[in-house]
Amino acid sequence: MSGTLPNTRFNAINLKSNQKTLVSETDSGKTFRRQVQGQRFSFTIAYPPMTRAEFAPIMAFIMKQRARKEAFTITMPSFLDAQGNETGTLLVNGSHSASDTTIALDGFAGDGAGRLKAGDLIKFAHDKVYMIIEDVTSSSNSATVTIEPPLREALADDSSVTYDSVSFNVHLVSDTQEFNTNQVDKDGNLLFNYEFDVIEAL
């Protein structure tokens, strides 16, 4: 792994869920569906116009990844933190097997008025990021969260849970990186425009 993206000033994230489904249909109209491989998130990171001093360390970091060869970490900015009012230190309650979609947690500190919300991102003690698909509203210090996709790896009792500042382990989608310089600021200084695509590296 080659480090953590050094700047979270990006102003756009085009988040996508990638999950392959094979579909076949018979002459009688029966449809068969099965999913292959695992689900992965991908997204586009787009920055606002930057000065050269702001842009240079970001481009240097991307060059360090040697195109699609290396994996690195991107931490989501605060506008993608959990929507609920939860502030506790959450831990897995009991052990869970790969392929589980309901995960028991404890350590909740909120009062039960919408602790975590459907659409929130959540991460356990491995690289994969999951999405909560039902609101979590329990009034006790324990509750069950429902996630998609199913767990990629088993979870141990009391292992860590992250629901704010969730980090993705990713690699670049393309071997070619480019930027443009078609703007200037009010003082005539050149501004750099830059965006790049990544996908989860699992």
Side-chain angles (χ1 to χ4, degrees), residues 76-141:
M76 293 294 99
S78 59
F79 64 77
L80 281 179
D81 282 352
Q83 303 171 82
N85 59 9
E86 185 52 49
T87 59
T89 301
L90 302 186
L91 299 172
V92 173
N93 185 2
S95 59
H96 293 272
S97 302
S99 80
D100 285 356
T101 57
T102 54
I103 315 300
L105 305 179
D106 57 21
F108 284 91
D111 61 7
R115 292 174 161 181
L116 299 171
K117 299 281 193 178
D120 286 344
L121 299 173
I122 193 168
K123 189 173 183 180
F124 305 103
H126 54 269
D127 282 337
K128 182 75 186 89
V129 174
Y130 302 88
M131 183 170 284
I132 296 172
I133 59 170
E134 294 179 9
D135 289 354
V136 179
T137 57
S138 171
S139 60
S140 68
N141 68 354

Side-chain angles (χ1 to χ4, degrees), residues 50-52 181-185 188-192:
M50 297 177 284
T51 64
R52 185 178 181 192
T181 55
N182 59 5
Q183 297 183 61
V184 294
D185 65 15
N189 298 310
L190 201 60
L191 295 176
F192 292 75

Side-chain angles (χ1 to χ4, degrees), residues 101-200:
T101 57
T102 54
I103 315 300
L105 305 179
D106 57 21
F108 284 91
D111 61 7
R115 292 174 161 181
L116 299 171
K117 299 281 193 178
D120 286 344
L121 299 173
I122 193 168
K123 189 173 183 180
F124 305 103
H126 54 269
D127 282 337
K128 182 75 186 89
V129 174
Y130 302 88
M131 183 170 284
I132 296 172
I133 59 170
E134 294 179 9
D135 289 354
V136 179
T137 57
S138 171
S139 60
S140 68
N141 68 354
S142 61
T144 297
V145 296
T146 305
I147 60 166
E148 280 292 334
L151 279 178
R152 185 179 178 89
E153 298 181 22
L155 301 179
D157 185 33
D158 286 337
S159 56
S160 62
V161 178
T162 303
Y163 56 91
D164 285 331
S165 301
V166 173
S167 63
F168 283 80
N169 187 43
V170 300
H171 63 77
L172 294 165
V173 170
S174 174
D175 284 331
T176 303
Q177 302 302 313
E178 61 182 315
F179 60 89
N180 64 61
T181 55
N182 59 5
Q183 297 183 61
V184 294
D185 65 15
K186 59 182 178 59
D187 299 316
N189 298 310
L190 201 60
L191 295 176
F192 292 75
N193 293 291
Y194 186 51
E195 67 178 46
F196 58 90
D197 296 314
V198 295
I199 190 166
E200 278 187 291

Side-chain angles (χ1 to χ4, degrees), residues 18-34:
N18 303 277
Q19 194 163 17
K20 290 185 179 180
T21 305
L22 298 179
V23 179
S24 59
E25 186 172 322
T26 66
D27 290 339
S28 63
K30 285 188 176 181
T31 302
F32 299 91
R33 298 178 180 88
R34 67 184 179 92

